[in-house]
Amino acid sequence: MKNIFFVGFMGAGKSTVARNLQKRLKMNLVEMDERIEKEQGMTIPEIFEKYGESRFRDLESELILTIGKEGNTIVSCGGGVVVRPENIEYMKKNGMVIFLSAKPETVFYRVKDSTNRPILNGNMNVEYIGELMEKRRALYEAAADVKISTDGKSIDEITDEVIIAI
Ligand code: S3P
């Protein structure tokens, strides 16, 4: 089994579905944000505040190029991983890319109480989420081998769809 990369907007369910999938398939699991926080000894908001977004994107790219080398790994990517074309290229070459999509309203409902997403700090509203999602949509689509809509579905239903698709 090759690697499986989950991409999609914040709150699309990447981490939860990746964890659920790992319980059902014998594969390794990497949650990119968690790994970066562990390696840096800082939270994502602290990294953004101290070094800025572009340093965070560098860390993300460095990580994605090293994980999944041995294959058989489920990777829950950060929502912005698709902004660097080399990340997309790497994922497509080294595994299957699954784009989990969700409507802006669904994303807002899922992330509204979260304080660990600096991109949405001060912009926690449906309009902003919708605009940023539109800006990124073509990138998610370009990366995707499979696209699964998550609106109104349970984690198990989404996981079943993933298993059918892979
Ligand atoms: C980001 C998404 C976050 C995290 C960071 C930036 C983004 O990951 O990497 O806050 O730019 O979309 P999740 O999609 O796991 O929330």
Side-chain angles (χ1 to χ4, degrees), residues 8-11 14-15 31 33 44 48 53 56-57 60 77-80 116-119 136 140:
F9 205 78
M10 292 166 269
K14 303 178 294 285
S15 306
E31 211 286 334
D33 287 346
I44 302 291
F48 268 68
E53 181 177 347
F56 174 74
R57 298 295 171 209
E60 220 172 27
C77 296
N116 62 357
R117 292 181 169 98
I119 297 281
R136 288 187 180 169
Y140 293 129

Side-chain angles (χ1 to χ4, degrees), residues 5 7 92 96-101 140-141 143-149 161-162 164-166:
F5 296 94
V7 302
K92 290 190 83 68
M96 183 175 223
V97 183
I98 301 186
F99 167 27
L100 297 185
S101 72
Y140 293 129
E141 302 271 0
D145 293 303
V146 175
K147 179 179 167 178
I148 296 173
S149 153
E161 285 192 39
V162 172
I164 290 165
I166 57 181

Side-chain angles (χ1 to χ4, degrees), residues 6-143:
F6 283 101
V7 302
F9 205 78
M10 292 166 269
K14 303 178 294 285
S15 306
T16 318
V17 173
R19 260 195 303 274
N20 200 34
L21 185 66
Q22 193 219 6
K23 284 192 207 136
R24 291 165 62 171
L25 304 178
K26 289 255 171 297
M27 292 180 74
N28 308 315
L29 174 66
V30 176
E31 211 286 334
M32 286 188 60
D33 287 346
E34 268 176 31
R35 177 71 72 87
I36 291 173
E37 289 187 325
K38 202 166 161 209
E39 283 177 359
Q40 299 302 310
M42 277 189 266
T43 64
I44 302 291
E46 283 166 352
I47 298 170
F48 268 68
E49 202 187 321
K50 193 153 184 216
Y51 302 119
E53 181 177 347
S54 95
R55 176 72 190 127
F56 174 74
R57 298 295 171 209
D58 290 343
L59 292 170
E60 220 172 27
S61 292
E62 284 163 23
L63 175 60
I64 205 160
L65 298 182
T66 58
I67 49 178
K69 278 237 159 74
E70 72 249 45
N72 208 43
T73 301
I74 299 166
V75 186
S76 172
C77 296
V81 92
V82 294
V83 301
R84 295 248 174 117
E86 64 269 30
N87 297 345
I88 297 185
E89 202 183 309
Y90 177 84
M91 291 189 287
K92 290 190 83 68
K93 213 188 280 170
N94 290 281
M96 183 175 223
V97 183
I98 301 186
F99 167 27
L100 297 185
S101 72
K103 289 184 192 146
E105 291 77 7
T106 307
V107 167
F108 175 71
Y109 179 76
R110 290 177 185 162
V111 305
K112 63 182 175 4
D113 299 322
S114 137
T115 52
N116 62 357
R117 292 181 169 98
I119 297 281
L120 297 179
N121 278 355
N123 292 308
M124 191 57 90
N125 59 72
V126 175
E127 291 70 29
Y128 182 83
I129 289 169
E131 278 166 27
L132 185 56
M133 197 184 276
E134 273 318 301
K135 279 191 200 149
R136 288 187 180 169
R137 183 176 305 282
L139 299 171
Y140 293 129
E141 302 271 0

